[in-house]
Amino acid sequence: EVQLAESGGGLVQPGGSLRLSCAASGFMFSSYWMHWVRQAPGKGLEWVSRINTDGSSSTYADSVKGRFTISRDNAKNTLYVQMNGLRAEDTAVYYCARTIPPYYFMDVWGKGTTVTVSS
Amino acid sequence: DIQMAQSPSSLSASVGDRVTITCRASQSISNHLNWYQQKPGKAPKLLIYAAATLQSGVPSRFSVSGSGTEFTLTISSLQPEDFATYYCQESDSVLFGQGTKLEIK
């Protein structure tokens, strides 16, 4: 079964750091671009970042640029996002999703992991 | 930068109704538009990609039209399981619309 499973969420103080992981199974992870998408409580979906198949190219939303770093380990079938300088407005459920260019539709999503930034 | 405007933001309808949701782009995006359905507490689900292609398993009561700057998602006869929030998504900038919450009247 094709699956994505996020982990690593939790409560962190403003200014703190957190690394989220997304474990992929049931498909050839190294063949897919991947996204992180987040959803603040009661709000809509916000794209966070995207990475290509070998990790050589990544893009970020302006809201996280310079603070978040996406990466992947194809040998471990795992996607990551390192989040530094966390702010209250980063509080959200974070989803990973697989995607294929050129339409970058997200056809498989994880269940999400919750990040809460609060003192 | 491209802006996406989705309307309406909410919609009340009854089982069996036909409803239409619109997504407008501030500039032409050709057919680079995808649609998702999200139910409370769940991850989004891909419905349509490349503006016109139904994802496998999506019922035929879902249909789409449009290209360029204006796109519509139509549900021809609402079923109880269709009450959810719907999002459009522009492909290149990966920009989501604000969402349309479809509620039972």
Side-chain angles (χ1 to χ4, degrees), chain A residues 35 37 39 43-47 50 62 95 102-107 109-112, chain B residues 1 31-32 34 36 38 42-44 46 49-50 55 87 89 91-94 96 98:
Chain A
H35 291 280
V37 175
Q39 187 168 36
K43 302 297 184 182
L45 301 172
E46 180 189 16
W47 172 73
R50 176 177 65 196
D62 287 344
Y95 297 99
Y103 296 104
Y104 297 109
F105 53 86
M106 303 174 203
D107 66 336
W109 295 66
K111 294 182 178 181
Chain B
D1 291 355
N31 66 338
H32 288 219
N34 309 312
Y36 301 85
Q38 187 182 32
K42 301 293 187 182
L46 176 68
Y49 61 94
Q55 174 69 340
Y87 295 92
Q89 175 233 328
S91 301
D92 297 330
S93 301
V94 205
F96 286 96
Q98 302 93 322

Short mmCIF file of all heavy atoms in Angstrom, two decimals, chain A residues 35 37 39 43-47 50 62 95 102-107 109-112, chain B residues 1 31-32 34 36 38 42-44 46 49-50 55 87 89 91-94 96 98:
data_model
loop_
_atom_site.label_atom_id
_atom_site.label_comp_id
_atom_site.label_asym_id
_atom_site.label_seq_id
_atom_site.Cartn_x
_atom_site.Cartn_y
_atom_site.Cartn_z
N HIS A 35 6.40 17.38 -1.51
CA HIS A 35 6.01 18.67 -0.94
C HIS A 35 5.81 18.55 0.56
O HIS A 35 5.48 17.50 1.08
CB HIS A 35 4.64 19.10 -1.48
CG HIS A 35 4.56 19.47 -2.91
ND1 HIS A 35 4.96 20.69 -3.40
CD2 HIS A 35 4.06 18.79 -3.96
CE1 HIS A 35 4.73 20.74 -4.69
NE2 HIS A 35 4.18 19.60 -5.06
N VAL A 37 3.15 20.68 2.99
CA VAL A 37 1.99 21.59 2.99
C VAL A 37 1.52 21.70 4.43
O VAL A 37 1.52 20.69 5.15
CB VAL A 37 0.86 21.05 2.09
CG1 VAL A 37 -0.38 21.93 2.19
CG2 VAL A 37 1.33 20.93 0.65
N GLN A 39 -1.38 23.47 7.41
CA GLN A 39 -2.72 24.00 7.62
C GLN A 39 -2.83 24.47 9.06
O GLN A 39 -2.85 23.67 9.99
CB GLN A 39 -3.77 22.93 7.32
CG GLN A 39 -5.19 23.43 7.33
CD GLN A 39 -6.16 22.42 6.75
OE1 GLN A 39 -6.00 21.22 6.92
NE2 GLN A 39 -7.16 22.91 6.03
N LYS A 43 -7.81 27.13 9.29
CA LYS A 43 -7.43 27.87 8.08
C LYS A 43 -7.30 26.93 6.88
O LYS A 43 -7.47 25.72 7.00
CB LYS A 43 -6.11 28.61 8.30
CG LYS A 43 -6.14 29.59 9.46
CD LYS A 43 -7.13 30.71 9.24
CE LYS A 43 -7.06 31.74 10.38
NZ LYS A 43 -8.07 32.82 10.19
N GLY A 44 -6.98 27.52 5.74
CA GLY A 44 -6.82 26.74 4.52
C GLY A 44 -5.44 26.14 4.39
O GLY A 44 -4.60 26.25 5.28
N LEU A 45 -5.23 25.51 3.25
CA LEU A 45 -3.96 24.87 2.97
C LEU A 45 -2.93 25.90 2.52
O LEU A 45 -3.23 26.80 1.75
CB LEU A 45 -4.14 23.82 1.87
CG LEU A 45 -5.13 22.71 2.16
CD1 LEU A 45 -5.36 21.86 0.92
CD2 LEU A 45 -4.64 21.85 3.32
N GLU A 46 -1.71 25.73 3.01
CA GLU A 46 -0.61 26.61 2.61
C GLU A 46 0.57 25.73 2.21
O GLU A 46 1.09 24.96 3.01
CB GLU A 46 -0.20 27.54 3.75
CG GLU A 46 0.95 28.46 3.36
CD GLU A 46 1.52 29.26 4.52
OE1 GLU A 46 1.25 28.91 5.69
OE2 GLU A 46 2.26 30.23 4.27
N TRP A 47 1.01 25.89 0.97
CA TRP A 47 2.20 25.17 0.53
C TRP A 47 3.42 25.71 1.24
O TRP A 47 3.57 26.93 1.45
CB TRP A 47 2.35 25.32 -0.98
CG TRP A 47 3.66 24.79 -1.49
CD1 TRP A 47 4.02 23.48 -1.62
CD2 TRP A 47 4.77 25.56 -1.93
NE1 TRP A 47 5.30 23.39 -2.12
CE2 TRP A 47 5.77 24.65 -2.33
CE3 TRP A 47 5.03 26.92 -2.04
CZ2 TRP A 47 7.01 25.06 -2.82
CZ3 TRP A 47 6.25 27.35 -2.52
CH2 TRP A 47 7.23 26.41 -2.91
N ARG A 50 8.98 22.39 -1.69
CA ARG A 50 8.98 21.31 -2.68
C ARG A 50 10.43 20.92 -2.97
O ARG A 50 11.30 21.80 -3.01
CB ARG A 50 8.29 21.79 -3.95
CG ARG A 50 8.29 20.82 -5.12
CD ARG A 50 7.52 21.39 -6.31
NE ARG A 50 8.14 22.58 -6.88
CZ ARG A 50 7.51 23.41 -7.70
NH1 ARG A 50 6.26 23.20 -8.04
NH2 ARG A 50 8.14 24.46 -8.19
N ASP A 62 7.47 32.10 0.57
CA ASP A 62 8.14 33.27 1.15
C ASP A 62 8.05 33.27 2.66
O ASP A 62 8.97 33.74 3.34
CB ASP A 62 7.51 34.55 0.60
CG ASP A 62 7.88 34.81 -0.85
OD1 ASP A 62 8.85 34.19 -1.34
OD2 ASP A 62 7.22 35.64 -1.48
N TYR A 95 1.68 18.45 6.50
CA TYR A 95 1.49 17.26 5.68
C TYR A 95 2.64 17.13 4.68
O TYR A 95 3.10 18.14 4.14
CB TYR A 95 0.21 17.37 4.84
CG TYR A 95 -1.08 17.45 5.60
CD1 TYR A 95 -1.71 18.67 5.81
CD2 TYR A 95 -1.71 16.30 6.08
CE1 TYR A 95 -2.93 18.75 6.48
CE2 TYR A 95 -2.93 16.36 6.74
CZ TYR A 95 -3.52 17.59 6.94
OH TYR A 95 -4.72 17.67 7.59
N PRO A 102 4.62 17.80 -14.78
CA PRO A 102 4.65 19.26 -14.66
C PRO A 102 3.47 19.85 -13.91
O PRO A 102 3.47 21.04 -13.65
CB PRO A 102 4.62 19.71 -16.12
CG PRO A 102 3.73 18.68 -16.77
CD PRO A 102 4.08 17.38 -16.09
N TYR A 103 2.48 19.03 -13.55
CA TYR A 103 1.29 19.59 -12.93
C TYR A 103 1.38 19.63 -11.41
O TYR A 103 0.55 20.21 -10.75
CB TYR A 103 0.03 18.85 -13.39
CG TYR A 103 -0.20 19.02 -14.88
CD1 TYR A 103 0.08 17.99 -15.77
CD2 TYR A 103 -0.68 20.22 -15.38
CE1 TYR A 103 -0.10 18.17 -17.13
CE2 TYR A 103 -0.88 20.40 -16.75
CZ TYR A 103 -0.58 19.37 -17.61
OH TYR A 103 -0.77 19.54 -18.96
N TYR A 104 2.41 19.00 -10.89
CA TYR A 104 2.66 19.02 -9.44
C TYR A 104 1.39 18.77 -8.62
O TYR A 104 1.21 19.38 -7.57
CB TYR A 104 3.31 20.34 -9.02
CG TYR A 104 4.67 20.51 -9.65
CD1 TYR A 104 4.88 21.46 -10.65
CD2 TYR A 104 5.75 19.71 -9.28
CE1 TYR A 104 6.13 21.61 -11.25
CE2 TYR A 104 7.00 19.86 -9.87
CZ TYR A 104 7.18 20.81 -10.85
OH TYR A 104 8.40 20.95 -11.45
N PHE A 105 0.53 17.88 -9.11
CA PHE A 105 -0.61 17.52 -8.28
C PHE A 105 -0.13 16.57 -7.19
O PHE A 105 0.81 15.80 -7.37
CB PHE A 105 -1.72 16.89 -9.11
CG PHE A 105 -1.28 15.73 -9.96
CD1 PHE A 105 -1.25 14.44 -9.44
CD2 PHE A 105 -0.93 15.92 -11.28
CE1 PHE A 105 -0.85 13.37 -10.22
CE2 PHE A 105 -0.53 14.85 -12.08
CZ PHE A 105 -0.49 13.57 -11.54
N MET A 106 -0.80 16.66 -6.06
CA MET A 106 -0.39 15.87 -4.89
C MET A 106 -1.36 14.71 -4.75
O MET A 106 -2.48 14.89 -4.26
CB MET A 106 -0.39 16.77 -3.66
CG MET A 106 0.52 17.98 -3.85
SD MET A 106 0.41 19.12 -2.48
CE MET A 106 0.97 20.64 -3.27
N ASP A 107 -0.92 13.54 -5.17
CA ASP A 107 -1.86 12.43 -5.25
C ASP A 107 -1.83 11.51 -4.03
O ASP A 107 -2.74 10.71 -3.84
CB ASP A 107 -1.65 11.61 -6.52
CG ASP A 107 -0.31 10.90 -6.56
OD1 ASP A 107 0.63 11.36 -5.87
OD2 ASP A 107 -0.20 9.89 -7.28
N TRP A 109 -1.01 11.73 0.21
CA TRP A 109 -0.74 12.60 1.36
C TRP A 109 -0.56 11.74 2.61
O TRP A 109 -1.18 10.70 2.76
CB TRP A 109 -1.92 13.55 1.62
CG TRP A 109 -2.21 14.54 0.55
CD1 TRP A 109 -2.65 14.30 -0.73
CD2 TRP A 109 -2.10 15.97 0.67
NE1 TRP A 109 -2.83 15.48 -1.40
CE2 TRP A 109 -2.50 16.52 -0.57
CE3 TRP A 109 -1.73 16.83 1.70
CZ2 TRP A 109 -2.52 17.90 -0.81
CZ3 TRP A 109 -1.75 18.20 1.47
CH2 TRP A 109 -2.14 18.72 0.23
N GLY A 110 0.25 12.24 3.52
CA GLY A 110 0.28 11.64 4.83
C GLY A 110 -0.88 12.15 5.67
O GLY A 110 -1.68 12.98 5.22
N LYS A 111 -0.97 11.66 6.90
CA LYS A 111 -2.06 12.07 7.79
C LYS A 111 -1.74 13.35 8.53
O LYS A 111 -2.62 13.95 9.14
CB LYS A 111 -2.37 10.95 8.78
CG LYS A 111 -2.94 9.71 8.11
CD LYS A 111 -3.29 8.63 9.13
CE LYS A 111 -3.90 7.43 8.42
NZ LYS A 111 -4.27 6.35 9.36
N GLY A 112 -0.49 13.78 8.49
CA GLY A 112 -0.11 15.04 9.10
C GLY A 112 0.48 14.88 10.49
O GLY A 112 0.22 13.89 11.20
N ASP B 1 3.34 38.25 -9.16
CA ASP B 1 3.00 36.94 -8.63
C ASP B 1 1.55 36.58 -8.97
O ASP B 1 0.67 37.43 -8.98
CB ASP B 1 3.15 36.91 -7.11
CG ASP B 1 4.61 37.00 -6.67
OD1 ASP B 1 5.49 36.99 -7.55
OD2 ASP B 1 4.85 37.10 -5.46
N ASN B 31 -3.59 25.01 -18.24
CA ASN B 31 -4.38 23.98 -17.55
C ASN B 31 -3.67 23.49 -16.29
O ASN B 31 -3.90 22.38 -15.81
CB ASN B 31 -4.66 22.80 -18.48
CG ASN B 31 -3.39 22.05 -18.86
OD1 ASN B 31 -2.31 22.60 -18.78
ND2 ASN B 31 -3.54 20.81 -19.28
N HIS B 32 -2.84 24.33 -15.73
CA HIS B 32 -2.04 23.93 -14.57
C HIS B 32 -2.82 24.17 -13.28
O HIS B 32 -2.43 24.96 -12.42
CB HIS B 32 -0.71 24.67 -14.57
CG HIS B 32 0.22 24.18 -15.62
ND1 HIS B 32 1.57 24.05 -15.42
CD2 HIS B 32 0.00 23.76 -16.88
CE1 HIS B 32 2.14 23.58 -16.51
NE2 HIS B 32 1.20 23.40 -17.42
N ASN B 34 -5.24 22.10 -10.19
CA ASN B 34 -5.66 20.86 -9.56
C ASN B 34 -6.73 21.17 -8.50
O ASN B 34 -6.79 22.29 -7.99
CB ASN B 34 -4.46 20.18 -8.89
CG ASN B 34 -3.28 20.05 -9.84
OD1 ASN B 34 -3.43 19.60 -11.00
ND2 ASN B 34 -2.10 20.46 -9.40
N TYR B 36 -8.80 19.66 -4.91
CA TYR B 36 -8.74 18.74 -3.78
C TYR B 36 -10.02 18.85 -2.95
O TYR B 36 -10.65 19.91 -2.90
CB TYR B 36 -7.55 19.05 -2.87
CG TYR B 36 -6.22 18.98 -3.58
CD1 TYR B 36 -5.73 20.06 -4.28
CD2 TYR B 36 -5.47 17.80 -3.58
CE1 TYR B 36 -4.53 20.00 -4.95
CE2 TYR B 36 -4.26 17.73 -4.24
CZ TYR B 36 -3.80 18.84 -4.93
OH TYR B 36 -2.60 18.76 -5.60
N GLN B 38 -11.25 18.12 1.07
CA GLN B 38 -10.77 17.83 2.42
C GLN B 38 -11.94 17.75 3.39
O GLN B 38 -12.77 18.65 3.44
CB GLN B 38 -9.77 18.88 2.90
CG GLN B 38 -9.12 18.53 4.23
CD GLN B 38 -8.16 19.58 4.74
OE1 GLN B 38 -8.35 20.77 4.51
NE2 GLN B 38 -7.11 19.14 5.46
N LYS B 42 -8.98 15.34 8.30
CA LYS B 42 -8.35 14.43 7.33
C LYS B 42 -7.43 15.18 6.40
O LYS B 42 -7.55 16.40 6.22
CB LYS B 42 -9.43 13.71 6.50
CG LYS B 42 -10.40 12.89 7.33
CD LYS B 42 -9.71 11.71 7.97
CE LYS B 42 -10.73 10.79 8.65
NZ LYS B 42 -10.06 9.64 9.33
N ALA B 43 -6.54 14.44 5.77
CA ALA B 43 -5.68 15.03 4.75
C ALA B 43 -6.50 15.32 3.50
O ALA B 43 -7.52 14.66 3.24
CB ALA B 43 -4.54 14.09 4.41
N PRO B 44 -6.08 16.28 2.72
CA PRO B 44 -6.76 16.51 1.44
C PRO B 44 -6.67 15.30 0.53
O PRO B 44 -5.75 14.48 0.65
CB PRO B 44 -5.98 17.70 0.85
CG PRO B 44 -5.36 18.37 2.03
CD PRO B 44 -5.02 17.25 2.97
N LEU B 46 -6.86 14.28 -3.62
CA LEU B 46 -6.83 14.79 -4.99
C LEU B 46 -8.08 14.36 -5.74
O LEU B 46 -8.42 13.18 -5.76
CB LEU B 46 -5.59 14.26 -5.71
CG LEU B 46 -5.45 14.63 -7.18
CD1 LEU B 46 -5.21 16.13 -7.35
CD2 LEU B 46 -4.31 13.83 -7.82
N TYR B 49 -6.75 16.74 -11.71
CA TYR B 49 -5.48 17.36 -12.01
C TYR B 49 -5.43 17.78 -13.48
O TYR B 49 -6.24 17.34 -14.30
CB TYR B 49 -4.31 16.44 -11.66
CG TYR B 49 -4.27 15.12 -12.41
CD1 TYR B 49 -3.55 14.98 -13.58
CD2 TYR B 49 -4.95 14.00 -11.91
CE1 TYR B 49 -3.51 13.77 -14.25
CE2 TYR B 49 -4.90 12.80 -12.58
CZ TYR B 49 -4.19 12.68 -13.74
OH TYR B 49 -4.15 11.49 -14.41
N ALA B 50 -4.48 18.65 -13.75
CA ALA B 50 -4.34 19.22 -15.10
C ALA B 50 -5.68 19.79 -15.60
O ALA B 50 -6.03 19.66 -16.77
CB ALA B 50 -3.81 18.17 -16.07
N GLN B 55 -9.06 12.15 -11.02
CA GLN B 55 -8.21 11.14 -10.39
C GLN B 55 -8.97 9.82 -10.33
O GLN B 55 -10.21 9.80 -10.23
CB GLN B 55 -7.81 11.61 -8.99
CG GLN B 55 -7.04 10.62 -8.14
CD GLN B 55 -5.63 10.36 -8.63
OE1 GLN B 55 -5.30 10.61 -9.78
NE2 GLN B 55 -4.78 9.85 -7.75
N TYR B 87 -10.54 22.80 -2.45
CA TYR B 87 -9.45 23.74 -2.75
C TYR B 87 -8.99 23.57 -4.20
O TYR B 87 -8.81 22.43 -4.66
CB TYR B 87 -8.25 23.48 -1.85
CG TYR B 87 -8.47 23.73 -0.38
CD1 TYR B 87 -8.87 22.70 0.47
CD2 TYR B 87 -8.25 24.98 0.17
CE1 TYR B 87 -9.06 22.92 1.82
CE2 TYR B 87 -8.43 25.22 1.53
CZ TYR B 87 -8.85 24.18 2.34
OH TYR B 87 -9.03 24.40 3.69
N GLN B 89 -5.69 24.50 -6.71
CA GLN B 89 -4.24 24.66 -6.51
C GLN B 89 -3.59 24.90 -7.85
O GLN B 89 -3.74 24.10 -8.78
CB GLN B 89 -3.64 23.40 -5.87
CG GLN B 89 -2.12 23.43 -5.73
CD GLN B 89 -1.44 22.22 -6.33
OE1 GLN B 89 -2.00 21.12 -6.34
NE2 GLN B 89 -0.25 22.41 -6.85
N SER B 91 -0.42 24.93 -10.20
CA SER B 91 0.68 23.97 -10.18
C SER B 91 2.05 24.57 -9.97
O SER B 91 2.84 24.09 -9.18
CB SER B 91 0.71 23.19 -11.48
OG SER B 91 -0.49 22.49 -11.69
N ASP B 92 2.38 25.61 -10.73
CA ASP B 92 3.78 26.07 -10.77
C ASP B 92 4.21 26.77 -9.50
O ASP B 92 5.28 26.49 -8.95
CB ASP B 92 3.98 26.97 -11.99
CG ASP B 92 3.73 26.22 -13.29
OD1 ASP B 92 3.98 24.99 -13.30
OD2 ASP B 92 3.29 26.84 -14.27
N SER B 93 3.40 27.69 -9.03
CA SER B 93 3.70 28.38 -7.77
C SER B 93 3.20 27.60 -6.57
O SER B 93 3.45 28.00 -5.43
CB SER B 93 3.08 29.77 -7.76
OG SER B 93 3.56 30.55 -8.83
N VAL B 94 2.51 26.51 -6.85
CA VAL B 94 1.91 25.66 -5.81
C VAL B 94 1.04 26.50 -4.88
O VAL B 94 1.15 26.39 -3.65
CB VAL B 94 2.97 24.86 -5.02
CG1 VAL B 94 2.33 23.59 -4.45
CG2 VAL B 94 4.16 24.49 -5.87
N PHE B 96 -2.52 27.57 -3.33
CA PHE B 96 -3.87 27.07 -3.09
C PHE B 96 -4.87 28.22 -3.07
O PHE B 96 -4.56 29.34 -2.60
CB PHE B 96 -3.94 26.35 -1.74
CG PHE B 96 -3.28 25.00 -1.74
CD1 PHE B 96 -1.98 24.87 -1.28
CD2 PHE B 96 -3.96 23.88 -2.17
CE1 PHE B 96 -1.35 23.63 -1.26
CE2 PHE B 96 -3.34 22.63 -2.17
CZ PHE B 96 -2.04 22.51 -1.71
N GLN B 98 -8.44 29.79 -1.48
CA GLN B 98 -8.78 29.97 -0.07
C GLN B 98 -9.70 28.87 0.46
O GLN B 98 -9.88 28.73 1.66
CB GLN B 98 -9.47 31.32 0.12
CG GLN B 98 -8.63 32.51 -0.33
CD GLN B 98 -8.92 32.93 -1.76
OE1 GLN B 98 -9.15 32.11 -2.66
NE2 GLN B 98 -8.91 34.22 -2.00
#
